[in-house]
Amino acid sequence: MEKIRVFLLVCALCVSFDASAQYVGQHRSAIKTDVKIPVKAYSFDLQDVQLLNSRFKDNMDREGSWMLSLPVERLLHSFRVNAGMLTDKKSSKTKMPVPLGGWEALDMELRGHSIGHLMSGLSFQYAATRNMAFKKKIDSLVSGLAEVQATLDEDGYLSAFPQNYIDRNIEGKSVWAPWYTLHKITAGLIDAYWYAGNAQALDVVTKMASWAYHKIIPLNEVQLALMLRNEFGGMNEAWYNLYAITGNPDHKKLGDLFYHHAVLDPLAAGQDKLNRMHANTVIPKITGEARAYELTGNATDKAIVSNFWDNVIHNQTYVIGSNSDKEHFIEPGKISKYITGYTGETCNTYNLLKVTRHLFTWDADVRYADYYERALYNHILGQQDPKTGMVCYFTPLKAGAFRLYSTRDSSFWCCVGSGFESQSKYGEAIYYHNDQGVYVNLFIPSVLTWKAKGLKLRQETAYPEEATTRLTVDSAGKESLALYIRYPSWASNGARVKINGKNIKIDQVPGSYISLNRKWKAGDKVEITYPMILHLEPTPDNPKIVAVMYGPVVLAGEMGTEAMPAHAPYHDPADPYQYYDYDYNIPANLVHSLHINNQNISDAIKPVKGEPLTFKTINTTNGTTVTLEPYYNLHRQRYVVYWNLN
């Protein structure tokens, strides 16, 4: 979250309306402006996918409990202060709420962003679980915001900070990122309407759109360019999503006004000028252009999205699926030069996964699903501390570093907010569909209900701790349907498929889909096995710096807790840029070199019997044995992800 103290703009919608991601196929009867592009894979509603017991469900439950524990009065406090709704403490008959801390403190210019993320996260949780506690909290937050909006009486403006922040942004004066914050609020309100059926949320956000339209429609091109220099999240995406709901051309025009020529025109021309750009300022803009393409069919928007994704995946992405060093894109391809303690801002991966979902629905290309799996398991899943539910801002990859987590009510970094969403919507990308069948993209224990086809499909697995996934047809309609089962690119040892216990010959190769088409009946069972092997993944610019992987899983070396600061693993700076000077105090004798190559890897690294996904090294440079386990499991201690080869 870039702290540019100069210009301005807003955010975007995080999780609900991607015509390709969340919006293509989801609650389509409620959309007044449908997509104008060919769609190869439609998303299912979150309510159609029930997570079964797994690490994913555990993460989701912990996140849900955290969100429910945050008092509504404290979340609304800064909004009410801004609207002058609170009396002097001495004369108040009710106890004043304690202000939230960190980025939500009353003296922080970004205050108010978390309530938007929270409304989105609560909405996803409600859609996925139908737990009325989530809806009750959503309704309380929306009602409170509506009251603030009415009290402000500023033509629909709604925020926890005064409108002059927007004026300062337009004038090019110093201010953090007011449009970024407004984006989170608009996105959260749209999600509350979309996923939780809160009609008041749509009324509030429509009034916000009216204010925004009259605020910026008079601006000339020079003023707009100045305004858009400041971080504005996915404000374009949010307005396009609202346009899809309302059909109001003013809402589309708002999205168009947030087209940032300086960043997007080079991408449209196929140029890679991302080096040193603030990554999470750029990525949400791409999601907005993806939404624009879906609603208009404009080929330039499609080129922007495709070119951006290809550039980032091939030139900017670390082994865990993350990107950025100190929040900025790096010199293209030079991964080995930027393995630091400040890699992998989690918001970036959250937003890039949104872009990826758009692209998958357009093309149903397995490479998008492969990336989604890598980033989901190796970065997003590991963002959360399993012991407390707290989350990371950066995901440091420097040898000997460790994760630093938020606190419950006094951090509220951008990655806390996006974490509310990421950890609440694991059901969104497991399955997709076309008219002929279901794509099984992720191997996560879950139950899919496809009402239109009469299909109920149960997926049971301990993947990636085991190589086999079992699909059971609990109910089926009368027509034939295909199961398109992802054949991961990493599965170089082949695949085995059984239907009702009988081996099935397959002709597909890794990096494709295994298609099983038949008239299914209740009780039919499919088993798919992808044997996993150890392999090394070198950095693109230096083959002597490698990560160790087992199938899709990045393994990290356990390095203990020697010399870790007393406060670790928690860190609560008001300013995230304190991270840039953070001292991990890494011991000088820390081992991060191996005598190994892909030919001898099975001799140099041995599995630990009875401990899935756990291995021991044989050939470290000083002879020390190191335990390797999944990076997503390695919390509260030092680790090594990238190793030097000798």
Side-chain angles (χ1 to χ4, degrees), residues 276-297:
R276 303 318 305 155
M277 284 189 182
H278 184 257
N280 200 46
T281 295
V282 175
I283 303 173
K285 298 174 185 180
I286 308 304
T287 313
E289 295 314 301
R291 196 67 180 115
Y293 168 60
E294 291 159 0
L295 294 173
T296 67

Side-chain angles (χ1 to χ4, degrees), residues 392-418:
C392 302
Y393 190 112
F394 292 119
T395 311
L397 294 174
K398 184 176 183 178
F402 47 86
R403 290 175 165 97
L404 293 166
Y405 307 103
S406 63
T407 51
R408 184 164 293 276
D409 65 354
S410 55
S411 299
F412 295 109
W413 313 316
C414 54
C415 297
V416 170
S418 59

